[in-house]
Every structure is written in structure tokens, then in C-alpha cells.
Amino acid sequence: MSRKKNENAPLASLLADEEVVSELQDKVELLQGMLEDLMESPTFRAGMDVLLQASDRERIDLLLDGKEGVPTGFASPEAIVLATGRPALLIRDGQWEEPELQVIKKRIEPATGYLRQAIPKVGRVELVNDPTLEYVGTGWMIEEDVMITNRHVANVFAYHANNQIVLRTTPFGVQLGVQVDFNEEYASPNPAFEVEVVAVVFIEKEGPERPDMALIRLEKVEGLPQPIELSSLHLQRNDDVAVIGYPAKDGGRNDPFIMQRIFKNIYNVKRLSPGRVTGVREDRFILTHDCTTLGGNSGSVVVNLKDGKAAGLHFAGSYKENNFAVTSETIKSKLADLYGRSVIQLSVSGTEERKPTLADLEIRKGYDPLFLGETVDFPEVDPAVVAPVNNREDGYLHYLHFSVVMHKSRRLALFTACNIDGRKLYKIPRRRDRWGLDPRMEEIYQVGNELYKNNPLDRGHMVRRLDPAWGDTREEAAQAADDTFFYTNAHPQHAQLNQRSWLDLEEYILDNAATHDLKVSVFTGPVFGLCDREYRDVLIPQEYWKVVVCINAFTGQLSATAYLLSQSGFMEDLEFVFGAYQTYQVPVQLVENRVGVGFGQLAMHDPLGMVEHRGHRVVNGPDDITI
């Protein structure tokens, strides 16, 4: 339904705020802003009583009661509602600048303690490796490690696919990285506090009665802010609120002169925007407010100044009319629908996650050399390069169904050894990635998140998450999958390489009819080269090897095949990379010679070594593999 834009509503809102109008009359330097509002209302000259016409009041009431369509411009992310009396105050070191209007200062002062608690809990949602966008909106903590933002913010970097939510990729095939910076303030003395987004928990679907909200999970790091509690107070018109967020320059939807006067050409940093509620829909699904916002404020928290809690989630606005927020009641209802209660459970899947403790890890049995019925022992390596493990002499870190040996100076896995039982595999859905250091080994021998933050490098699993995910029960399989999320099992691999994988070699061999009992043992490791590139004090391998061992069903004998994967084409520029890689099937003996490991008698059971002597064959698909 089309209708003429109501030019009187914002002016009526301003004039209804008698305290602001009274102070403006005494401030000549601010009269220009008031005049701009007055001059944009042609009916003002016909008399102030026009502003109070019943038809105007009726239209506003219909909108707030949800009985009339949304106004023109509703889909715009944010908007300036009042040119005067609604500042956007810069925040520095958690404290906002003093407002020019004393009446605004007086309104904020009683809530000073509340606001100081809320400010550190609001962050800027940023894209790490997107060349076109620095950040996409605002979010705030709503649970222990969960942040709430808008659906249209999350849709920029994630989407629904096959009943899960996945991150988008750049035009160059690199998966987007997402982080939240809680300290993006103007001229702040504090360093950035950037926290990685490890999962997108929920994105609400499109629809007129669906709240514009999404939930993202952050890495649990030291100092992660506590949540902002949702308010239970029912707001009314003219109640005082404040928006905390990151307004960006947005002249396309707002008057550039008014915008320049309010923001003084300072954008993209945290601001506090005090204002008032202009209405609440009858079913309390949406509230409207006149706090000053711009593009970038999407996902901002609307704080109730009476109790300091979150009254709503800002999501849209219409210039010179109103800004809109999902109410706290709506958010609580949605959380209850999602999780059966009004708080977010620890796990997306609804079952509690628990990182293994030191006591748990010390009883892990790890890789079994007798798993295939014949002895397939651990690879032999130079003990001088093996990183020490507390209370062990062999250097083995045992996990559920697999083991890891670390390189002392490189601080990365020297090799991994994993048993896979295809008859007992479970399809364990991927929960949030909770990487951690292994408490059985000194931290000086491990590389943590400092290597992977803010770049295209993935934490590449040496042991794939689903390889050890087998057992007599689903719980056993799930625990084995979770054990793969220790940094001891991670190697820096470029995102494009890691996503395209190793052609799922183990899976193919498990599915091959010649594999006896659907069991395989897999060894994986890097080729540590003298020319490996140093990045953040870590030498990054450019090649990886894999040896897969099974029992051939026809011969009843061991079969060992080896593979080599190179990522050297990716490593020229960690900021902008694009290239090809190649997988090769190679003789086991070649891996032994190139890597400096020994596989005992496995080279005697290598079908490639027996059928040809060219040294390698290119693997473009399963048909190129000789088992």
C-alpha cells in the first residue's frame, strides 16, 4: 500500500520532548538543527495544531499496533530520526564524551553504572579476509560465548546449506574469516580485542513476523565479556533508552549535512546514542525509538536506562521517521523456541560439551599397532627431534583411537597414527570447534591460535575429525571426534587446500571391496623442508604425506599405499593467494627417504612399488589409486 511520507512525526516527537526544546531555545549555536527540522515540514507554517491531527496520531498508532504495513524505507538498516537533541557520543576507554545538551547528560547520569557495564559487551562484527568490507555490523553478548546480531548482518558471511550454516567464500575461493572487536573506539589507548567467530549458531529465516536476528558463537578466550541480560520491564513511549553500536558513513539514506554535523566525519567506531522510545507494538514484537543510528548500527543493543538491561535488538530505520528494534520479549520467546528454555545451551546439538581433562587424557590408549591383526608399528623417527611428554619416555600423545608425536623445535606434529573401523563409524555432526593446547605437554612445544588468527590459514586436521569417530557407542565416537581438536593435531594449511581435502583417500579405501573387515590404519605428517617459509615465528610446511595400510581381502596380506600433497603454490602471499595443488601416489620408500621416517617392512607391501618404477603417479580421482 502506497502512501505519502509523514513529514510531521519526527518534528512532533522533538516538540513533545519539552526539556530538549527548552534547552535548545537557550542555545543559539544549535538552532540551525532545529530550523532544519522545522523547514522540512511544510505543514508547520499552517499551524502547530496540524501536527496533532487525529489522522496523524491514528496512522502512528496503527503502525505500532501492527495493523498497518511498514513505512517506506523500513528496510533501510539505520536512520537519523531527529537532527537535533539526539547525539551520537564517541566512546573512548569505555567512557562517552560529554553531551552538549545538559538535559541529555542528566538523563544518562543515573544509568552511568549500567552503561559502563554494557559498553565492553558490544563489539564490531568484522570480516578478516574480504577485500571490500571491513565490518558488517554490530553484535552484543547474550550468553557465555554467544553474541546476538541481525539476520541481515549474518547473511553477509554465512548461509543455510544442507540443514547447516556454512561460511561464505570470497570470489577467489577463500573462506571468509569472521571476528568481533570489542575495543574499536576512537583514539582509544587500548589495543584491539579481537575474538574469532567459531560458528554461526542460528540465522532466522525471512518473513514478516520473524525477528531479524542471528546468533554467532565466539572462541572462548580470556577476558571474553559477560552477557547483557535481557530486560523484563515493559517499555512505554518516552521511556529513556540508549543504543550502543558502530555507525558507519551512510549519506545515501541520510542528509549528508545533518550527518556531518552530528558525526563530524568520525565513523566506524563505538558510540552511545541516547534517545527515547517512540512506541511499542501491541503484541510487543517491535519497539520504535529515535536514537541516532547509521549503517553499521545493525545488531546494536538498545539499553533500557531504567535497569541497564537489553530492551531490544536494533535492526532497521526510516530517515526522519523511526528506528526499529526487536523487543527483549521477542528475543526471549525465540530462544525458548530454539532451545526449550530462555538461555542458550552449551552445545548447538543440545548435549553438553566437555573438553577432556588431564585425567581423561592420561588414560587414552591411542593408536593400536595390532588393530589390523598384523603388527603395524609406529613410524621410526630420530628420538632427538621428538618433543617430550610429561610422565612418558616415548613422546607419544595418545587420544581416542589415534596418537600424535610432536617435533620439538618445529612445535608441530611430526606424524599422527590413526585406526579406523568402518563397521563402527558414526556420522557425528560437527559442533563448534573448541581447539585447545594439550595439558600433557609444555606449551613451548605447541603452536596455538596465535598462528591462525586473522589470516587465510586453517587449522588443518592431521587426523580427520571423522576418522576416529567410531566405537561401540555414539558417545565413544563423539569423544574421539572431539579429541581431534587439540592444537597438537593441527597444521597450518591454506584454507582453499584444506577445504578441498586429500580426495578423501581413507574413505575411498574403506569403501573399496578389496579392504578386509573395512579397517585401515593411517599415518599422516608434514615434509619439514629447509626452505619452508617462516610466518609468525613458525616454519610452515609446504608438503604433506599420508600412508594408508589395510589388509587386502584377496591376498590376506598387508597393503600399504603412500601419498604426497603439495601446497607450495599457495604460499607466495598469505594475504592474497590463488593457485593449484596436486596429489600424488608415491612409493612408501620415497616418503621414508624424503621425510626421514621408517615404516619397517611396509615398503615390501606397497603395490605401487611392485607394479611400476616411475616414482609417482598423479591422482585426479579414485581410478588413479592403486591399492
Side-chain angles (χ1 to χ4, degrees), residues 91-299:
I91 294 173
R92 185 181 298 112
D93 198 18
Q95 178 61 46
W96 52 92
E97 62 183 331
E98 184 172 334
E100 294 180 344
L101 292 176
Q102 289 302 306
V103 64
I104 298 297
K105 181 180 179 180
K106 290 179 180 178
R107 290 176 185 174
I108 296 176
E109 279 181 346
T112 295
Y114 294 144
L115 292 173
R116 285 180 177 170
Q117 291 181 11
I119 284 171
K121 302 171 182 179
V122 180
R124 198 175 79 165
V125 183
E126 303 175 340
L127 301 184
V128 175
N129 49 12
D130 188 290
T132 60
L133 288 174
E134 180 182 8
Y135 77 106
V136 291
T138 302
W140 42 280
M141 301 302 297
I142 194 170
E143 256 297 323
E144 180 184 10
D145 59 349
V146 176
M147 172 171 277
I148 188 170
T149 187
N150 290 151
R151 170 184 56 229
H152 69 265
V153 171
N155 279 340
V156 175
F157 53 82
Y159 64 97
H160 289 275
N162 300 323
N163 296 320
Q164 60 181 337
I165 301 174
V166 297
L167 292 179
R168 300 184 186 276
T169 58
T170 71
F172 306 106
V174 178
Q175 189 179 64
L176 285 175
V178 187
Q179 67 183 22
V180 175
D181 188 353
F182 292 93
N183 279 356
E184 194 65 52
E185 300 174 354
Y186 178 67
S188 173
N190 301 317
F193 180 26
E194 299 163 341
V195 182
E196 182 182 0
V197 174
V198 297
V200 180
V201 179
F202 167 75
I203 302 178
E204 178 62 275
K205 295 181 180 178
E206 301 282 348
E209 292 301 310
R210 293 181 179 271
D212 188 349
M213 62 174 279
L215 303 173
I216 56 180
R217 195 179 297 280
L218 306 186
E219 181 182 9
K220 279 191 174 180
V221 298
E222 185 177 355
L224 188 65
Q226 294 297 306
I228 300 176
E229 188 176 346
L230 293 171
S231 179
S232 297
L233 298 180
H234 284 182
L235 287 172
Q236 305 295 330
R237 289 190 190 183
N238 297 323
D239 281 348
D240 289 317
V241 292
V243 166
I244 304 172
Y246 296 81
K249 191 172 184 179
D250 193 5
R253 288 182 289 257
N254 296 274
D255 187 312
F257 297 103
I258 297 176
M259 188 172 64
Q260 170 63 23
R261 180 169 51 77
I262 294 175
F263 290 91
K264 298 178 174 60
N265 206 33
I266 301 173
Y267 303 100
N268 309 333
V269 292
K270 190 179 290 188
R271 286 181 182 263
L272 173 71
S273 299
R276 282 188 162 177
V277 174
T278 56
V280 182
R281 214 171 76 171
E282 207 170 58
D283 61 2
R284 311 201 70 81
F285 183 75
I286 290 174
L287 67 83
T288 58
H289 65 89
D290 59 16
C291 303
T292 294
T293 63
L294 293 175
N297 273 111
S298 291

Side-chain angles (χ1 to χ4, degrees), residues 367-383:
Y367 173 80
D368 180 6
L370 297 175
F371 179 69
L372 297 178
E374 293 194 31
T375 301
V376 181
D377 217 335
F378 287 94
E380 300 171 1
V381 296
D382 181 359

